[in-house]
């Protein structure tokens, strides 16, 4: 593969993704122009073998890259507007593979109404060099400003959107470490491959949430991050954790329920929104949930004592902030 | 290495780089807030084994990452303001290595007056996973707008800043493929490790340049890109190509002068500015060169016929646009 074929790949495959963004200069220049007062920006990397599997379909990998970044924005009350993309392809990548990848980008650009602005594409010298992807997404700050991790107060409700643990189960299914029905398999692997950023609900966050973030490292770990930044503690009841039908079926068949719930609460790859709000906001949250058709579940409270307390059945476990060793999944 | 130690590395090593940027939230949140009103943005990746050597000192790698991105902005007339950083470390990276890397960032943040805004740091699962770096830099657009690749007209002068070919020679020295004096060795490898974005001269570009870009793929290749985007041809005289003392000494000892000049003109890793301007601007360019203490050399002309013509001694070679096969360096 010569350098020139990289240029033709940019021109023929990536430039069409940028044609709706004036500041992208059709990807013919070294830089892009953005005009956005009060922008919010985020950057997330994904590497084959770490953040996705070598065998994952490349259109889904592209969409996951977009959604992981969009999830960061959405959990702050921000809609995505545009992005820059960096790709490092394994040495033996052919054009058809890049076409598949680009078809995923195209699909989710449409779904999330955002445009490619620019970036960088190159190749590993070694065949073993893993596909490495990087995206920088931005969008306009909401009128009231973004919702930080640090705004929670003592005695507030703790909520999550959607269901928890499906992504972690999906990965186990894909790794053939878990056997489920064909229907559940399709659902769970889809939840691993395709996070669902709660864009519409996210834009409502500003009217009730005091703190918010997306769950990528696992519910318990990320609740710990939010609590640390807000200088509060948090108490979570795993019995209230929202589960999908597939996760619920899996749970029924596990002998050790507590350990199974902990797996779901620490598995990560959820990309749901974790947020806090005073109890006076319960009605507003219910309305926003209905209006955006996004399930929202109250799973705990913020506390004065700066610890993470996880209840499950009649058992309570204290998790050290910054530690979470008890919950490490092997 | 646990996830928690990644958090402490962000808090202890990277957060100090962000303390001067209000919108970075001390790297405690998922996003950063910036004002992108009339901003110019660029993104470049660097991978060990492709864009730098596995053995290169990590502080210099950090500075090269910054300078490669800053060079993109500067060649468009833009000063850098801030950046987002993505790092994927090999599995066996220790804290001391990251400290060295961060010391390089710190040094060049000061030199180029820009701030870390946010980003992402993670690890390869495999020891062989190469260090992969990605940066997104932005800065305010200049009053007259950026200087595009596409603005050159027929019959204009073609210029470069600094000297050409030192980076390519430096890499050969580092790879022990070329033996030079100790003094020249130090100079040439420094030119490979540390590009010198011509920031001050860059801010003057707007008053005379019709098209501009930085030279990363080699003078001839990048002149071809500029010509293609401007829909003109370009004629370059390699005898006028500015050379450092070290490159000049190397050239003297090469038997085949033309082939040696072609090596310098196609080696890449120059990160000098290539630009065009009408001949009426010669005096302004001379003044800007003196005021910014940046050498600027006229090396050719743009032409009506859309070809790349390279003169060397009494020989002229036509290079196919998009091809440059003649100049491929083995």
């Amino acid at each position: 593969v010569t350098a020139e074929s990289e240029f033709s790949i940019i021109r023929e495959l990536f430039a069409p993704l940028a044609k709706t963004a004036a500041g992208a200069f059709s990807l013919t220049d070294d830089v892009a122009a953005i005009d956005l007062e009060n922008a919010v920006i985020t950057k997330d990397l994904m590497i084959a073998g770490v953040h996705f599997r070598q065998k994952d379909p490349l259109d889904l990998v592209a969409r996951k890259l977009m959604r992981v970044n969009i999830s960061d924005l959405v959990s702050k009350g921000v809609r995505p507007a545009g992005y820059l993309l960096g790709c490092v392809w394994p040495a033996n990548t052919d054009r058809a593979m890049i076409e598949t990848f680009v078809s995923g980008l195209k699909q989710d650009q449409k779904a999330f109404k955002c445009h490619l602005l620019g970036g960088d594409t190159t190749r590993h010298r070694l065949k073993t060099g893993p596909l490495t992807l990087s995206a920088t997404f931005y969008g306009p700050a909401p009128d009231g400003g973004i919702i930080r991790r640090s705004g929670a107060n003592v005695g507030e409700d703790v909520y999550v959107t959607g269901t928890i643990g499906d992504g972690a189960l999906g990965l186990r299914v894909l790794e053939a470490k878990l056997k489920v029905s064909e229907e559940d398999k399709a659902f769970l692997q889809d939840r691993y491959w395709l996070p669902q950023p709660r864009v519409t609900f996210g834009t409502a966050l500003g009217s009730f949430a005091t703190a918010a973030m997306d769950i990528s490292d696992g519910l318990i770990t990320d609740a710990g991050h939010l609590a640390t930044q807000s200088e509060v503690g948090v108490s979570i009841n795993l019995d209230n954790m929202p589960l999908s039908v597939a996760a619920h079926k899996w749970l029924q068949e596990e002998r050790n329920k507590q350990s199974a719930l902990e797996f779901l609460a620490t598995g990560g790859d959820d990309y749901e929104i974790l947020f806090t709000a005073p109890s006076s906001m319960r009605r507003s949250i219910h309305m926003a949930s209905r209006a955006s058709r996004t399930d929202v579940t109250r799973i705990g409270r913020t506390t004065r004592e700066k610890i993470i307390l996880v209840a499950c059945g009649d058992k309570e476990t204290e998790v050290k902030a910054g530690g979470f060793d008890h919950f490490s999944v092997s």
Side-chain angles (χ1 to χ4, degrees), chain A:
Chain A
V1 176
T2 65
E4 282 311 319
S5 89
E6 299 290 320
F7 297 129
S8 72
I9 278 169
I10 292 171
R11 193 171 57 236
E12 292 159 24
L13 301 184
F14 288 99
L17 299 175
K19 68 169 188 263
T20 43
F25 308 129
S26 307
L27 307 187
T28 59
D29 221 304
D30 310 82
V31 297
I34 307 183
D35 191 358
L36 191 55
E37 207 182 339
N38 288 319
V40 179
I41 191 161
T42 190
K43 178 172 171 53
D44 257 339
L45 279 156
M46 275 179 28
I47 305 169
V50 182
H51 304 93
F52 61 96
R53 297 160 63 250
Q54 301 274 5
K55 286 186 258 179
D56 286 341
L58 284 173
D59 53 336
L60 299 182
V61 169
R63 294 170 71 192
K64 183 160 187 172
L65 174 69
M66 294 182 72
R67 287 161 182 239
V68 161
N69 278 280
I70 291 171
S71 173
D72 272 326
L73 294 180
V74 162
S75 72
K76 304 281 139 183
V78 179
R79 275 181 188 279
Y83 67 106
L84 289 94
L85 176 69
C87 306
V88 192
W89 302 96
N92 58 350
T93 306
D94 61 22
R95 187 185 165 107
M97 292 164 74
I98 301 179
E99 281 173 353
T100 304
F101 181 84
V102 166
S103 74
L105 295 178
K106 193 175 169 185
Q107 198 173 341
D108 270 3
Q109 279 197 188
K110 206 171 162 187
F112 294 99
K113 297 186 189 67
C114 55
H115 314 275
L116 179 64
L117 261 286
D120 192 14
T121 177
T122 183
R123 263 166 213 268
H124 283 290
R125 292 274 156 80
L126 298 171
K127 260 193 197 164
T128 54
L131 175 56
T132 301
L133 301 166
S134 161
T136 302
F137 268 77
Y138 67 90
D143 286 343
I146 66 163
I147 302 114
R148 299 280 310 277
R149 289 184 177 188
S150 55
N153 306 297
V154 171
E156 290 182 337
D157 296 328
V158 177
Y159 295 86
V160 292
T161 59
T163 55
I164 301 297
D166 300 324
L169 287 177
L171 178 57
R172 297 200 77 175
V173 168
L174 282 165
E175 286 173 340
K177 289 178 181 165
L178 177 62
K179 226 173 148 45
V180 294
S181 70
E182 279 304 308
E183 190 190 0
D184 289 354
K185 183 179 169 182
F187 171 80
L188 291 171
Q189 68 189 21
D190 197 63
R191 287 281 285 162
Y192 171 76
W193 277 329
L194 283 184
Q196 300 292 337
R198 309 298 180 181
V199 184
T200 312
F201 184 78
T203 58
L205 279 175
S207 56
F208 46 73
T210 52
M213 66 184 293
D214 72 335
I215 305 172
S216 54
D217 293 337
L219 169 62
I220 305 291
T221 300
D222 284 328
H225 292 148
L226 188 147
T228 303
Q229 288 306 322
S230 292
E231 299 183 357
V232 298
V234 69
S235 162
I236 288 176
N237 191 335
L238 294 192
D239 300 319
N240 295 342
M241 186 165 62
L243 301 183
S244 66
V245 172
H248 196 74
K249 272 159 65 182
W250 171 78
L251 180 65
Q252 291 308 314
E253 289 176 14
E254 289 292 295
R255 265 173 307 167
N256 186 334
K257 299 288 178 238
Q258 185 183 349
S259 145
L261 281 168
E262 285 172 11
F263 171 78
L264 299 174
T266 57
D269 262 315
D270 295 298
Y271 300 104
E272 296 290 350
I273 305 174
L274 171 74
F275 68 97
T276 55
S279 54
S280 60
M281 289 296 173
R282 287 184 190 175
R283 196 174 152 70
S284 308
I285 292 166
H286 180 69
M287 307 265 285
S289 161
R290 284 191 61 174
S292 62
R293 297 184 187 185
T294 304
D295 288 333
V296 176
T297 308
R298 185 151 46 88
I299 55 160
R301 300 275 289 166
T302 54
T303 59
R304 187 169 308 277
E305 204 186 350
K306 289 175 193 168
I307 58 169
I308 316 300
L309 210 60
V310 179
C312 183
D314 52 4
K315 205 174 154 193
E316 273 196 338
T317 312
E318 186 185 328
V319 186
K320 277 196 212 92
F324 315 116
D325 293 333
H326 178 64
F327 288 91
S328 68
V329 177
S330 58

